[in-house]
Each structure stands twice: as C-alpha cells, then as structure tokens.
Amino acid sequence: VTKRGARVRALVAGGMDPQALELVENAMKRGVEVEALGPIYGSAKAEFLASCDVLALPSRYRNEAEPLVLIEGQLAGCLVIATDIGTISQTVCAGNGHTWSEASFPSEAADLVERLARRPQDLRKVRRAISINAAERANKERQAWNELTAGLV
C-alpha cells in the first residue's frame, strides 16, 4: 500500500511466531510503518480496537473457527478482512467484512486498504455501518439466548 503512495500504519497485536516476526521485520526494513505490540488484554484491547480502522486476520490455520477478536473488532467498528479459511467467512461477511483466499489476500487487502486510505469519508461511513450491524446482530443473539435459557433457571 505504501508503494502506491497511500499512508497507512500497521499495528500488529497478539502473539507472533518466528515467521510473523520475520514479516514484520522485513516490512520495517522496506520503510513500512509497522509496530508490533504483542498481546493486548482487557480495556487496553477495547481501546486498541476502537482506534483501528481495519482489522486484518490473515490466518493460515486450516481449522480456524470463529476467533472472538473478529466479533470484538466489528463491535468496535473495524472493517474486518481475513483469509477465507475454516469458518471465518461466515463471521466476517455477516459483519460487512471481506475474505479472500490465502493466495489473493495480500493484493486484495492492499487494494481495499488503499481505496479506504484515499477516501476517509467512505471509511467513516463503513465503520459506522459495521458498528451498527454488529450491535444489531449481538442484540438478536442475546435475545435468542435469553429465550432458549429462560426456562432453565
């Protein structure tokens, strides 16, 4: 994205294996503004997600299910983008996000981030819509859960 002239800053949160650390180091050597934050918990995690425009999860784990961070990101108004692996696409696409194959993720994600970086007014609209959509889905799921468990207590 930075090669195309768009200004972005990448914050990498969570644990990283040696391959991920190498990717971060290589990006920094090429002049990409990247900061590796490590694991973030509690209120710091909520603040972090609220400060992000895009949450990217380029997972290669074949059995990926539904990482909670995807839902947390959507509730914070992040545009979630991820690799289409496991059952991730069900969560991401329900929240107005995007998934791509592992092979096409880098270029497709870069194209999308570049477009949004150049049109901040569109990004604000997208984030607002994602946050509303996620809150509505959470309320529906909470209501369904309450109905299911009402007679149990």
Side-chain angles (χ1 to χ4, degrees), residues 57 64-74 80 82 84-99 130 133-134 137 141:
L57 185 70
E64 196 75 74
E66 186 176 46
L68 185 57
V69 72
L70 299 177
I71 298 166
E72 292 170 326
Q74 291 168 341
V80 176
D84 186 7
I85 197 161
T87 61
I88 283 180
S89 64
Q90 294 169 349
T91 302
V92 172
C93 295
N96 301 336
H98 300 276
T99 60
I130 288 168
N133 180 316
R137 285 191 352 256
E141 290 176 17

Side-chain angles (χ1 to χ4, degrees), residues 17-33:
D17 62 18
Q19 187 178 14
L21 284 171
E22 184 179 343
L23 289 171
V24 168
E25 290 170 3
N26 287 338
M28 291 168 66
K29 287 176 186 173
R30 291 191 318 268
V32 177
E33 188 178 347

Side-chain angles (χ1 to χ4, degrees), residues 59-129:
S59 178
R60 286 184 240 125
Y61 179 56
R62 298 281 167 227
N63 298 315
E64 196 75 74
E66 186 176 46
L68 185 57
V69 72
L70 299 177
I71 298 166
E72 292 170 326
Q74 291 168 341
L75 286 167
C78 297
L79 172 61
V80 176
I81 59 176
T83 46
D84 186 7
I85 197 161
T87 61
I88 283 180
S89 64
Q90 294 169 349
T91 302
V92 172
C93 295
N96 301 336
H98 300 276
T99 60
W100 300 282
S101 70
E102 190 176 330
S104 65
F105 182 86
S107 63
E108 295 288 351
D111 289 347
L112 179 62
V113 170
E114 178 188 10
R115 284 194 310 271
L116 292 172
R118 294 183 186 282
R119 299 185 56 104
Q121 69 279 13
D122 291 346
L123 179 58
R124 283 190 294 275
K125 290 176 188 175
V126 166
R127 289 196 65 188
R128 193 169 25 257

